[in-house]
Amino acid sequence: MTRVFLRTVMCGFLFMGFWFSPVSAGVDREKLLTDAGVYGSFAVFTLDDQWGKLDSSIRIARLATLKGVVEQHREHVAIDLYLLRGLADHADLLFRIHGMELRDIQAFLLDLKSSQFGRHLKTAGIMHGMTKKPSYVPGFSEQMKADLASPSEPGQKPYAIVIPVKKSAEWWGMDREKQVAMMQEHTVAALPYLKTVKRKLYHSTGLDDLDFITYFETSKLDDFHSLILSLEKVKEFQYVRRIGHPTLLGVVQSVDEIIESLVQ
């Protein structure tokens, strides 16, 4: 099926009323992605066995409801989609949702699951966290603070990796000065990859069975590989009780690109 044909069919579904809500300006996406105190949820799904047996026209109609749900909730939450199929053995899709209220994220996920498309989704995992102001950076040197402020390389970063992390009780009972020193060593190991690997941290303690969710975007997976190897060599890593399980690797896609991928 060509892209032109798919877009023509999708426009037909739009005209027939598969999208109920008018397109609004939506939330301030950049603010949600940069401010502290924002909730972030990672919802991972597999498609059921019935999905592949459906006729393509039926799949298009049901995928139209996915776009409808995204449009209905974009006034309250920012939604990013990732195709995991082909890169993961346990999941097909990842939704990263940001909101000022966790119940707004919950409302989106409830509507998604109850949609015609969502009824084909089997939950593989959900993780919750929130963004906070950097807690160790104030104790870093001025030069390191300046290095951390350097922008990443421009251009598309198609790959996304999500790694959950849990720290040991020994870490949480450690003196603050020791923690800062170890995190400074951690940061020194990460600095060579700052331009090619974007990173965002979510705090999960009390919201999930994790302590952190680390989110990365890159166009250079070899740099990401080297980054992780470097971080595993620092002293702070000995206090990591869990890293991954699962580690999620996918490709950043728009809603329309996801629809096109899943129609095949």
Side-chain angles (χ1 to χ4, degrees):
M1 181 177 295
T2 66
R3 292 190 178 187
V4 173
F5 176 72
L6 179 58
R7 287 170 183 164
T8 301
V9 174
M10 292 298 288
C11 286
F13 282 116
L14 173 61
F15 178 76
M16 292 164 59
F18 277 90
W19 285 277
F20 319 116
S21 301
V23 176
S24 61
V27 294
D28 187 336
R29 173 183 169 80
E30 290 305 314
K31 184 176 177 64
L32 286 180
L33 291 178
T34 56
D35 279 6
V38 176
Y39 293 97
S41 294
F42 295 78
V44 189
F45 300 102
T46 58
L47 285 160
D48 65 16
D49 295 337
Q50 186 64 29
W51 179 257
K53 301 175 184 178
L54 297 174
D55 183 80
S56 60
S57 62
I58 297 176
R59 289 202 296 269
I60 291 173
R62 295 188 181 177
L63 282 162
T65 66
L66 165 63
K67 189 161 187 175
V69 173
V70 170
E71 289 296 335
Q72 288 172 25
H73 287 271
R74 68 194 297 268
E75 187 175 345
H76 300 289
V77 294
I79 304 161
D80 295 289
L81 286 81
Y82 309 82
L83 186 67
L84 307 185
R85 173 174 279 194
L87 297 178
D89 62 356
H90 58 279
D92 294 306
L93 289 173
L94 165 66
F95 290 77
R96 182 175 66 143
I97 314 108
H98 291 88
M100 293 305 300
E101 296 287 349
L102 196 56
R103 59 176 175 264
D104 289 334
I105 296 175
Q106 180 186 39
F108 164 73
L109 291 173
L110 287 172
D111 283 353
L112 173 66
K113 286 288 286 181
S114 63
S115 68
Q116 287 292 320
F117 171 70
R119 292 172 189 175
H120 292 280
L121 294 177
K122 298 165 61 177
T123 303
I126 298 180
M127 298 180 289
H128 305 291
M130 67 180 299
T131 57
K132 297 175 66 175
K133 292 181 179 179
S135 55
Y136 299 110
V137 173
F140 291 176
S141 68
E142 293 304 316
Q143 180 59 53
M144 186 170 290
K145 291 178 185 177
D147 291 340
L148 287 171
S150 300
S152 61
E153 290 182 351
Q156 186 180 20
K157 293 177 171 54
Y159 298 108
I161 307 99
V162 182
I163 304 179
V165 176
K166 189 169 181 64
K167 291 287 191 71
S168 66
E170 290 79 10
W171 172 262
W172 296 113
M174 189 182 299
D175 290 343
R176 179 71 176 180
E177 289 183 0
K178 291 182 179 179
Q179 287 182 336
V180 171
M182 287 192 188
M183 290 308 298
Q184 184 155 312
E185 181 191 25
H186 173 111
T187 304
V188 169
L191 282 176
Y193 309 99
L194 194 64
K195 290 187 178 299
T196 58
V197 182
K198 292 176 64 176
R199 175 180 175 272
K200 189 172 181 63
L201 183 68
Y202 301 80
H203 297 252
S204 296
T205 307
L207 301 177
D208 213 315
D209 295 330
L210 312 163
D211 288 318
F212 305 99
I213 304 168
T214 51
Y215 172 84
F216 304 89
E217 284 184 7
T218 187
S219 61
K220 299 180 180 179
L221 287 174
D222 54 337
D223 278 4
F224 177 76
H225 169 72
S226 298
L227 166 63
I228 297 301
L229 288 177
S230 296
L231 294 178
E232 290 183 353
K233 295 176 183 177
V234 303
K235 293 178 182 178
E236 173 260 346
F237 187 73
Q238 66 184 296
Y239 299 97
V240 175
R241 291 179 55 193
R242 169 189 171 184
I243 182 168
H245 310 303
T247 294
L248 302 172
L249 171 64
V251 176
V252 182
Q253 291 199 339
S254 67
V255 178
D256 289 338
E257 288 172 330
I258 288 288
I259 289 172
E260 186 173 331
S261 297
L262 297 182
V263 164
Q264 306 302 322

